[in-house]
Amino acid sequence: MQAAFNLVMALLYLVFWGATFVIFYHLTRFGIGVQPKRFAAAFFLGSVVLFGISLVFAARFDFNSLFS
């Protein structure tokens, strides 16, 4: 059961980063001026934060171990 969950999570992460790459690439490559590149930077930063949060929850990290 755990192996199936890990496989599904890995596939979801691959799809997530694939979509992130496509959006980031198109905003930076085909955007005219500075504004699309700022949007791309904000989008990329947000996607890294969301990825980190999902990794923490998927790994079932014990936050109590940090404070004890």
Side-chain angles (χ1 to χ4, degrees):
M1 183 68 176
Q2 184 68 25
F5 175 74
N6 288 340
L7 181 64
V8 168
M9 288 304 295
L11 290 174
L12 284 174
Y13 286 150
L14 284 174
V15 168
F16 174 77
W17 281 113
T20 299
F21 172 76
V22 168
I23 293 169
F24 183 72
Y25 174 78
H26 283 89
L27 282 172
T28 56
R29 176 72 174 101
F30 301 114
I32 309 274
V34 179
Q35 195 68 23
K37 291 165 183 55
R38 289 181 182 158
F39 287 142
F43 174 78
F44 186 69
L45 180 63
S47 64
V48 168
V49 169
L50 286 175
F51 179 72
I53 290 170
S54 68
L55 271 181
V56 167
F57 286 124
R60 295 183 187 102
F61 186 74
D62 183 20
F63 288 104
N64 292 330
S65 66
L66 292 175
F67 302 113
S68 61

